[in-house]
Amino acid sequence: MLNVKPIISVIMPIYNGEKWLPSSLNSILVQTFRDFEILLINDGSVDASEKICQGFLKKDNRIRYFYKKNGGVSSARNLGLEKAQGELIYFFDCDDLLASDGLEFLVNLHKDTGADIVSCACMNVDKQTIPTNLRVNENLKMIIATKDKWNYREIFTGAIICKLFSRNVIGDTRFPKGICYAEDDVFFMEAFIKARKIAYHPIIKTFYYMHSDSSTHRLQPYRFFQSFVLAKYLIKEKVYTATTDTNARAMVYCDYCISIFSLFRYVVRAGNRREYECLRNKYYDLLENFLHKEKMAMLKKIEYKTYIKSYELARLIHARKI
């Protein structure tokens, strides 16, 4: 157990992560920046995750371990926030990887800019290894945003593992309960709205492992797409309340509408006509107006149009296994 408070608290939710946890955890433990704690939050795993955590717990006194009844990634991260001692917060999943100088880079970015949130870039990988042939583009430019933060889409999109937060900007913000997909987007937007300064550097330091069990790779039940729409709706409402910036509002409105098409895509491919008609009755006018006003490639607009024109047309064009 640490005797003094660390600079960074790394919060890692774990659910049945035995396949990936050792590599992910090792990528944190070999960091060139050493002043951190790792909070392993076991969200009711039924595999060997606990055994692996206990093994690492004996090897490094910077690790703290907590077990809780399964409640989802939001509840696990929220418990981590309650237990965290660091002045900076970093969220990391048990299948992700971080370059050995990743924390050092983010901490230095925070020190140099005084930003409430700092971010690097993330790369999707199909193996749980950090690529060795990455080339650094010397022309990459850092973005430091204050009142003009809404002008930079790149600083309020991207995976949460790219971002280091000051505890002050998080405050009492927590991950939303009842949302099982894109919950991190809602959390980040709340922090983003409160942030006075944000810094982003497009250098790649984080790696998202796209394995067959990852949330963006595996076949998702309908409730995941419902959560996605709810998350995008909450983000839209928060942004509309926070700013009158037309570009920011247009972006979150577009994201919200496109998320609804994911619902249509799911029910069409599932052959659920009843649910399709419910969606069409609820969202048809909104999506028609969106497609009429939104500037996008004509083929993409036609594709979206076919989803809401009629169930028969949508099935004819898009019916296939989910």
Side-chain angles (χ1 to χ4, degrees):
M1 186 65 66
L2 298 175
N3 295 320
V4 295
K5 291 183 178 181
I7 292 178
I8 300 177
S9 290
V10 179
I11 298 175
M12 181 186 289
I14 301 164
Y15 179 71
N16 293 347
E18 63 179 6
K19 296 178 184 177
W20 318 286
L21 180 56
S23 294
S24 180
L25 194 47
N26 276 323
S27 79
I28 297 293
L29 293 176
V30 299
Q31 291 294 303
T32 54
F33 181 84
R34 306 290 296 170
D35 192 359
F36 61 83
E37 65 173 353
I38 305 174
L39 287 79
L40 302 179
I41 315 296
N42 186 349
D43 187 37
S45 298
V46 295
D47 64 356
S49 292
E50 179 167 13
K51 182 178 179 180
I52 294 170
C53 288
Q54 293 294 346
F56 274 94
L57 196 62
K58 296 174 182 178
K59 297 177 182 179
D60 199 306
N61 65 1
R62 293 173 298 176
I63 298 175
R64 301 166 64 200
Y65 176 73
F66 301 90
Y67 178 88
K68 60 180 288 296
K69 182 180 178 181
N70 180 251
V73 66
S74 288
S75 64
R77 287 172 175 157
N78 287 341
L79 176 60
L81 284 171
E82 297 303 322
K83 301 295 184 179
Q85 299 176 335
E87 62 185 70
L88 300 172
I89 304 294
Y90 183 66
F91 298 102
F92 201 64
D93 290 337
C94 67
D95 53 359
D96 296 325
L97 295 170
L98 181 65
S100 60
D101 63 343
L103 288 183
E104 181 178 9
F105 179 84
L106 290 171
V107 168
N108 287 339
L109 194 58
H110 168 72
K111 290 179 179 178
D112 293 342
T113 63
D116 302 303
I117 303 172
V118 296
S119 177
C120 59
C122 182
M123 171 185 282
N124 293 339
V125 293
D126 57 9
K127 295 181 181 179
Q128 202 186 17
T129 56
I130 296 175
T132 58
N133 58 347
L134 281 180
R135 294 182 178 180
V136 178
N137 185 346
E138 300 296 337
N139 296 320
L140 294 176
K141 294 183 179 180
M142 178 172 60
I143 295 172
I144 300 178
T146 52
K147 293 181 179 179
D148 61 344
K149 61 186 179 182
W150 299 104
N151 295 333
Y152 301 100
R153 182 185 178 109
E154 58 265 54
I155 66 174
F156 57 101
T157 56
I160 200 169
I161 64 169
C162 301
K163 301 170 175 66
L164 183 68
F165 299 83
S166 71
R167 178 179 284 276
N168 290 337
V169 80
I170 291 177
D172 59 359
T173 299
R174 294 296 182 267
F175 289 85
K177 297 179 181 179
I179 297 180
C180 54
Y181 193 51
E183 73 292 326
D184 50 349
D185 293 339
V186 180
F187 173 89
F188 173 69
M189 185 52 69
E190 287 194 30
F192 177 89
I193 288 171
K194 293 191 292 184
R196 294 169 297 176
K197 181 187 289 188
I198 299 171
Y200 168 76
H201 196 297
I203 191 170
I204 298 170
K205 295 294 180 182
T206 56
F207 303 87
Y208 180 82
Y209 179 30
M210 298 286 289
H211 55 84
S212 59
D213 292 332
S214 65
S215 61
T216 54
H217 243 201
R218 67 177 181 263
L219 300 181
Q220 302 287 18
Y222 188 43
R223 67 187 182 91
F224 275 78
F225 294 97
Q226 290 175 311
S227 285
F228 186 50
V229 171
L230 177 56
K232 294 302 181 181
Y233 172 77
L234 292 174
I235 290 170
K236 178 181 73 72
E237 293 300 293
K238 293 177 188 298
V239 171
Y240 273 45
T241 300
T243 181
T244 58
D245 185 278
T246 55
N247 289 331
R249 287 188 166 196
M251 189 203 73
V252 295
Y253 171 73
C254 178
D255 286 349
Y256 170 55
C257 290
I258 289 177
S259 74
I260 299 172
F261 282 111
S262 68
L263 283 176
F264 277 89
R265 182 180 300 111
Y266 186 95
V267 299
V268 166
R269 294 180 179 180
N272 191 335
R273 180 167 189 152
R274 181 177 180 180
E275 188 62 31
Y276 173 89
E277 296 298 344
C278 290
L279 292 177
R280 192 170 185 274
N281 290 335
K282 182 176 182 179
Y283 293 116
Y284 181 82
D285 290 342
L286 170 69
L287 297 179
E288 268 287 310
N289 183 63
F290 166 71
L291 291 175
H292 177 70
K293 294 182 178 180
E294 185 70 15
K295 294 181 180 179
M296 67 175 69
M298 183 57 65
L299 288 178
K300 178 58 68 174
K301 184 170 290 191
I302 292 173
E303 176 192 344
Y304 284 146
K305 188 80 170 180
T306 59
Y307 275 113
I308 62 173
K309 193 67 175 178
S310 71
Y311 178 77
E312 289 78 11
L313 179 61
R315 282 289 291 175
L316 178 65
I317 296 175
H318 302 290
R320 49 181 156 167
K321 290 184 179 180
I322 298 173

